Amino acid sequence: MKNKVFTVRFMSRVAIFGAIAAILYCVPFLKFKLPFFLSFLEIHFDEIPAFIASFAYGPLCGSLVLFIKTIIKLPFTNTATVGEWLDLLYGLALILPASIIYQKHRTFKGAAIGIVASIFTQLLVSFVCAGTFVVDFYAALYNIEADTILKMGQALNPKVENVYFSMALYCFLPFNAFKDAIIAILTILLYPRVRYFTEKRYKK
């Protein structure tokens, strides 16, 4: 079992962190909206358990945590599951670069560099998605005109000219940057406090 990846211990760790992430992702009152962002954008904290799991046990563990919380949320979707798969994509873009870098440089500096790289990667991925198809999809899903969403964006920022890269730049990008910053700060604050319980070498 020492040479196997999916040991009982590994899967139990995935299950525990996945359950925490699913609770943070599915329970409505654990998510919130802010008036200075688009009304359909919510801040949730399910990436934090995945971040901690990936730092403690590697990128594979963090990725599986994200998959678990996504699968649990799918039966309760109101976006034909596309919103959940997008969240999974954004989550992977956020945790994988940081955890890969941290695995090679297990210091505070390594974690900080990794988190900065992760935020940049996630913002790039989310910007491309938001600038190409996200608004069109939600407009079709909820049977509303894209112009309605455009007016919502223009009410927040008059510089918004279209529902593609302009809205991605002035509406989605600030939201994702704000959310990523909160996730990063909370992860940096929480991880040292659970490090003793997750990393063997700190127990000695």
Side-chain angles (χ1 to χ4, degrees):
M1 292 298 289
K2 291 182 179 179
N3 296 323
K4 301 294 185 180
V5 175
F6 295 100
T7 63
V8 173
R9 178 179 295 179
F10 178 82
M11 294 309 297
S12 64
R13 291 166 175 170
V14 171
I16 291 170
F17 282 98
I20 296 172
I23 291 172
L24 293 173
Y25 191 42
C26 298
V27 177
F29 67 82
L30 296 178
K31 301 180 284 187
F32 62 93
K33 302 176 182 180
L34 294 173
F36 43 86
F37 293 123
L38 293 170
S39 59
F40 53 84
L41 297 177
E42 292 183 329
I43 292 177
H44 42 86
F45 303 105
D46 47 274
E47 288 97 346
I48 295 176
F51 241 136
I52 293 174
S54 66
F55 276 178
Y57 307 119
L60 178 60
C61 184
S63 300
L64 290 174
V65 168
L66 290 177
F67 274 104
I68 286 176
K69 65 98 177 177
T70 301
I71 297 301
I72 292 175
K73 178 68 163 57
L74 289 181
F76 310 102
T77 182
N78 57 3
T79 62
T81 77
V82 175
E84 285 72 24
W85 293 121
L86 278 175
D87 283 343
L88 174 62
L89 175 63
Y90 297 162
L92 290 172
L94 183 62
I95 72 164
L96 284 179
S99 59
I100 291 172
I101 292 174
Y102 185 68
Q103 288 300 299
K104 297 180 179 179
H105 307 282
R106 300 186 76 84
T107 63
F108 179 80
K109 181 179 179 181
I113 293 173
I115 287 175
V116 171
S118 279
I119 290 177
F120 177 81
T121 303
Q122 197 271 352
L123 290 179
L124 179 62
V125 171
S126 61
F127 178 78
V128 171
C129 292
T132 52
F133 68 89
V134 168
V135 172
D136 282 341
F137 167 77
Y138 281 106
L141 179 66
Y142 295 109
N143 195 28
I144 59 176
E145 297 292 334
D147 286 344
T148 302
I149 300 178
L150 176 61
K151 291 177 182 178
M152 294 169 62
Q154 290 174 335
L156 293 174
N157 193 324
K159 294 182 180 180
V160 176
E161 297 177 351
N162 55 62
V163 295
Y164 300 107
F165 285 103
S166 180
M167 178 169 281
L169 178 63
Y170 294 112
C171 294
F172 289 101
L173 190 64
F175 169 79
N176 285 313
F178 182 80
K179 179 175 179 288
D180 291 352
I182 293 177
I183 297 298
I185 291 171
L186 290 176
T187 300
I188 291 173
L189 292 175
L190 290 173
Y191 183 63
R193 288 159 175 77
V194 300
R195 198 177 191 183
Y196 175 85
F197 300 100
T198 57
E199 297 191 34
K200 274 187 175 180
R201 66 195 185 100
Y202 289 97
K203 294 180 183 179
K204 296 182 181 179

